[in-house]
Amino acid sequence: MQTLTTRSKVASNKKMTFVEKLYIPAILGGMRITLNHFFKKKVTIQYPEQKREFAPVFRGQHVLKRDENGAERCTACGLCAVACPAEAITMTAAERKPGEESLYREEKYASVYEINMLRCIFCGLCEEACPKEAIFLTDRIVDTEYVRQNLVYGKDKLVEPVNNRIDVSVRETEETREFKKHPEFAHNKLYTKSSKA
């Protein structure tokens, strides 16, 4: 028999003995393995009574962050959607109207922002691509659902509440904290007409 690597492979055509034909040794070997596992420590966790400890870098449900004034950070630039390898993020951009300055941080915002949690692979590329630090993966677990449409999360589930901010600093690296200390980098600076002049 020839393989793709052009190395010949010898095929065995050995006849089974009478004991091998009875399959009793094979069955006893399988039962021995099963009994060994039966007396080992169980790895099953009785969720939700017991909760598993997650690593600090665990990536769970997304959150759209607000700035310190309570306005949405997302400017609907679309970089997160472009960076997403699973194509799970869709958005529609809109212009901010006069009087909505407290709701949306900049002139353009996402009127529709959706993440299909069934497609998402929780890779974290969306948060790396975001120039405004608007989207983060948190340590929260995505809820289970019986209907597929309920797993397409819109802004109602993604934007953090004004009164109940979600801490994402746990996943922040030491290098990122050091980078944010330097004002000369103008990290995530809000550009207004007065600052452009």
Side-chain angles (χ1 to χ4, degrees):
M1 184 174 155
Q2 203 107 26
T3 60
L4 292 175
T5 58
T6 66
R7 289 185 295 212
S8 61
K9 190 173 183 182
V10 179
S12 173
N13 197 13
K14 183 186 143 205
K15 300 285 183 196
M16 292 174 67
T17 65
F18 176 74
V19 177
E20 289 174 336
K21 285 182 183 178
L22 291 177
Y23 295 110
I24 291 175
I27 292 170
L28 292 175
M31 292 298 288
R32 183 178 54 81
I33 292 170
T34 305
L35 287 172
N36 284 344
H37 284 291
F38 187 74
F39 294 109
K40 282 186 181 174
K41 184 176 181 277
K42 293 174 178 54
V43 294
T44 306
I45 291 176
Q46 300 300 321
Y47 185 83
E49 292 82 19
Q50 287 180 311
K51 298 263 191 287
R52 182 181 296 235
E53 285 291 323
F54 290 115
V57 292
F58 171 76
R59 294 189 287 250
Q61 184 177 330
H62 305 70
V63 64
L64 285 173
K65 296 290 287 175
R66 295 179 182 272
D67 66 4
E68 50 280 347
N69 300 324
E72 291 180 19
R73 286 178 172 268
C74 180
T75 58
C77 64
L79 289 175
C80 57
V82 172
C84 181
E87 298 179 359
I89 302 173
T90 55
M91 70 180 70
T92 305
E95 292 287 328
R96 182 178 69 188
K97 295 178 179 65
E100 293 182 335
E101 289 80 12
S102 62
L103 297 175
Y104 308 110
R105 191 169 186 212
E106 298 195 24
E107 293 171 2
K108 196 171 92 167
Y109 72 97
S111 61
V112 176
Y113 193 102
E114 292 180 340
I115 300 178
N116 188 340
M117 292 297 176
L118 295 172
R119 297 191 73 167
C120 179
I121 58 174
F122 300 94
C123 61
L125 291 177
C126 53
E127 69 179 1
E128 288 182 25
C130 184
K132 298 295 180 181
E133 287 191 336
I135 187 164
F136 284 93
L137 281 88
T138 65
D139 56 353
R140 298 179 298 163
I141 297 173
V142 177
D143 294 330
T144 56
E145 295 284 350
Y146 291 106
V147 182
R148 293 176 68 87
Q149 288 79 6
N150 295 347
L151 284 163
V152 177
Y153 283 11
K155 286 178 71 172
D156 57 329
K157 289 188 178 180
L158 294 172
V159 178
E160 72 177 344
V162 179
N163 309 349
N164 187 16
R165 297 297 178 92
I166 297 166
D167 183 27
V168 292
S169 62
V170 179
R171 295 188 56 240
E172 207 170 65
T173 61
E174 190 60 44
E175 292 83 9
T176 308
R177 284 191 207 104
E178 190 60 37
F179 176 79
K180 288 181 179 180
K181 289 178 185 174
H182 299 283
E184 66 269 15
F185 295 137
H187 173 71
N188 201 7
K189 183 179 176 186
L190 179 60
Y191 290 97
T192 59
K193 290 180 182 172
S194 60
S195 66
K196 289 177 188 173

